[in-house]
Structure formats: C-alpha cells, structure tokens
C-alpha cells in the first residue's frame, strides 16, 4: 500500500484537489494523508482588521480565530466524508508550524504529494506557478502531482522525454507510483533540433525499457524549440491528460532568463503535472 499526501488549506479548501487525491488513492488502494497546513502565522483575516481607535481589539481577534478554527474543522470533515464515500483508507495531519517546512518534511515519508497549482497559503491569489508551489518543488523529497483548479478523470498520459537521466527517472517514478494509470493511453514526446533523425534519444535502450513498463506507448518526435513545440503539440490534448516530466531544479540566475518547462506548463496548460527529479 502506497502513502499519498494531499496538501490542503483549510481556510481556502480546494475541492478539485480532494477529488484528484481521492480518485487516485481509490484506484491504487493507497493510504491517503490529508496534510492541513494550519500555519500559526496564517489566518483568514488581515492584521489591520483587528486595529481600532484604541489599538488591537482582542475580543475581535478571539472571534476571528474561532471562526478560522471552525472553517478548518469543516474542511477536514469534507475531506473525511469524501474518503468515506470512496472507501479510501485515510488519516489527517494538522501541521501548525511553518507550512512549507512542514510539508517538505512530510514528503520524506511519502510516495507522492498532491497539491493544487493555485496553492499560496496567503490571503492573495496568484497565477500558476505560485511562489509556494515553486518553493515546494525546489526542495520536495518525493514525486509531486500538481493539479488544476477543476477535476477531470485522467484518460491519457504524456511522457516528456529529452534523453536526459532526469526524464527517464521521472518516467520510472511515474510507473512505480501511479501504475494503475498505465492502462490509459500513453504517448512519449521528444523534441529534437531540426535536421536530426526522427528517433527518440537512445532509441534502442529507451524502447527496450518502455516495453517492460508501457508496452503500448506511442512515440512522437517533434523538431524545433522544445518549449514552443511541446506547447503547440499539447493544444490538441484534452484536460484529461496527465503530463510527466523530470528535473524541475534550475539555478536562480538562469531562471531569470528562462523559466523551467514545468513553470511554462503550469502557466499555459490546465492539466495535472507529475514532476519527479533525482537529486
């Protein structure tokens, strides 16, 4: 039985994230752990709301804090009800220290972490990828499934393969972690420079490996700029497609000039994104 984490904000509950998590846990007969990020520094209200003519209004603070406790309790109940309805084995963690640090620590002891692409753990909304998700992906210790803000059952899997060990690692981890999805239609997408052959990198070795894990996979070799060609190719895909890719890490200086492929996909496509990088 695998252990799958789902990161949730009890003050801004993402129901689609719960749907993805429960659906995947049920299909894989996994133990699902809801990690409610109840960071003590994070509230539904803003500090200036507490300030009156005579300073901080403690009575109002108490009332607002009790409201937050109530919202978080209702969110936890919604999660447990969804698991019970799907007959999913589950547990609930309430992490009350710094949310990012707590989640990274929990990821050490998990097979997969599921999180919304819109998660911020702040009062504000951000366009994907949010700062919280980007910081998480830099240091997470297990594969991550970043999901959009609406639920679609997964019917197709697209493996992005560039010939680097990191992309093979991601394919391998996907096979180990979400094996029950392999029955879905699987496509391997590679982008090469114009004029090069139409074979995937390490063609014999890759296909020998894939035959044992994704026997019915089809291969698509595109030519041109990877970011441009992949985004163009994905236009024909529905939102029921899961994308798999490797190394997210990129030095801060180079990221100023060129965002990672994962960033671009979160910006441009509303599809679940499976990310695994070998350290």
């Amino acid at each position: 039985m695998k252990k799958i984490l789902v990161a949730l904000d009890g003050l801004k509950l993402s129901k689609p994230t719960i749907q993805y998590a429960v659906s995947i846990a049920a299909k894989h007969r996994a133990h699902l752990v809801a990690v409610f990020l109840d960071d003590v520094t994070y509230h539904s209200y803003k500090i200036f709301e507490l300030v009156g003519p005579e300073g901080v209004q403690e009575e109002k603070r108490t009332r607002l804090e009790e409201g937050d406790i109530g919202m978080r309790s209702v969110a936890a109940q919604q999660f447990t009800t969804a698991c019970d309805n799907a007959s999913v084995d589950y547990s609930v963690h309430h992490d009350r220290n710094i949310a990012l640090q707590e989640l990274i620590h929990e990821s050490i002891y998990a097979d997969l972490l599921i999180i919304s692409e819109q998660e911020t753990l702040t009062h504000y909304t951000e366009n994907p990828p949010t700062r919280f998700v980007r910081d998480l992906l830099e240091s997470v210790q297990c594969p991550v499934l970043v999901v959009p803000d609406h639920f679609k059952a997964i019917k197709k899997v697209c493996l992005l393969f560039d010939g680097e060990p990191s992309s093979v690692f991601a394919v391998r981890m996907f096979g180990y972690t979400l094996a029950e999805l392999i029955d879905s239609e699987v496509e391997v997408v590679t982008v090469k420079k114009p004029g090069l052959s139409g074979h995937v990198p390490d063609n014999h070795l890759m296909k020998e490996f894939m035959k044992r894990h994704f026997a019915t996979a089809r291969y698509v070799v595109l030519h041109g700029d990877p970011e441009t060609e992949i985004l163009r190719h994905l236009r024909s895909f529905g939102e029921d497609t899961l994308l798999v890719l490797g190394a997210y890490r990129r030095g801060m200086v180079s990221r100023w000039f060129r965002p990672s492929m994962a960033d671009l996909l979160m910006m441009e496509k509303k599809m679940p994104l499976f990310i695994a990088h070998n350290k």
Side-chain angles (χ1 to χ4, degrees):
M1 177 178 283
K2 296 182 177 67
K3 176 183 174 182
I4 297 176
L5 306 180
V6 55
L8 297 169
D9 177 356
L11 300 181
K12 294 189 301 183
L13 187 65
S14 171
K15 293 182 181 179
T17 303
I18 293 178
Q19 287 180 284
Y20 274 108
V22 170
S23 173
I24 289 171
K27 186 179 288 288
H28 291 80
R29 297 177 294 281
H31 181 78
L32 183 60
V33 180
V35 181
F36 281 93
L37 301 169
D38 301 342
D39 191 319
V40 294
T41 65
Y42 170 52
H43 310 281
S44 65
Y45 56 88
K46 300 179 177 64
I47 295 299
F48 71 80
E49 295 179 46
L50 302 176
V51 180
E54 299 179 358
V56 175
Q57 303 175 34
E58 291 300 330
E59 182 180 341
K60 186 174 183 180
R61 182 204 295 271
T62 300
R63 185 171 68 254
L64 291 173
E65 288 179 349
E66 289 175 350
D68 282 1
I69 292 172
M71 280 193 287
R72 284 170 166 152
S73 177
V74 169
Q77 185 59 55
Q78 289 179 314
F79 168 77
T80 60
T81 298
C83 289
D84 288 337
N85 290 342
S87 299
V88 167
D89 188 48
Y90 68 89
S91 56
V92 176
H93 296 176
H94 289 277
D95 290 359
R96 294 184 170 84
N97 293 319
I98 302 303
L100 182 61
Q101 295 175 9
E102 291 272 33
L103 193 52
I104 290 170
H105 187 226
E106 292 237 20
S107 74
I108 298 171
Y109 305 97
D111 296 295
L112 177 70
L113 167 62
I114 301 174
I115 189 169
S116 168
E117 66 179 8
Q118 296 189 331
E119 196 60 75
T120 64
L121 264 292
T122 69
H123 303 288
Y124 310 104
T125 59
E126 300 175 34
N127 292 325
T130 68
R131 179 174 179 178
F132 185 88
V133 170
R134 292 178 70 170
D135 288 345
L136 172 68
L137 291 173
E138 288 285 345
S139 303
V140 70
Q141 299 296 310
C142 69
V144 179
L145 184 63
V146 183
V147 298
D149 60 354
H150 58 275
F151 174 76
K152 286 279 188 180
I154 296 168
K155 297 181 179 178
K156 183 172 182 177
V157 176
C158 178
L159 311 173
L160 303 184
F161 172 60
D162 62 2
E164 293 297 320
S166 58
S167 63
V168 181
F169 178 80
V171 171
R172 183 186 304 121
M173 291 306 298
F174 172 73
Y176 293 163
T177 307
L178 297 178
E180 296 300 320
L181 294 180
I182 293 175
D183 287 339
S184 305
E185 181 183 350
V186 177
E187 181 175 287
V188 179
V189 176
T190 295
V191 182
K192 302 178 76 172
K193 293 180 180 179
L196 295 183
S197 75
H199 297 295
V200 297
D202 286 332
N203 186 57
H204 173 70
L205 291 174
M206 180 59 175
K207 290 187 176 178
E208 184 178 61
F209 170 77
M210 290 291 292
K211 186 176 180 180
R212 275 73 192 173
H213 297 276
F214 307 87
T216 61
R218 62 185 295 265
Y219 298 84
V220 175
V221 179
L222 308 172
H223 291 87
D225 174 71
E227 285 84 355
T228 301
E229 295 305 319
I230 286 174
L231 290 175
R232 180 183 292 126
H233 183 67
L234 292 177
R235 288 174 188 164
S236 62
F237 286 37
E239 295 177 352
D240 55 1
T241 301
L242 183 148
L243 308 178
V244 177
L245 71 158
Y248 180 85
R249 292 189 173 202
R250 181 189 294 277
M252 184 59 71
V253 173
S254 65
R255 183 175 291 167
W256 289 343
F257 298 100
R258 187 177 188 180
S260 75
M261 175 62 74
D263 289 344
L264 287 173
L265 291 171
M266 280 186 272
M267 292 175 196
E268 300 291 337
K269 308 303 297 183
K270 293 298 181 182
M271 300 173 176
L273 194 63
F274 180 94
I275 301 170
H277 52 72
N278 49 348
K279 306 244 186 340

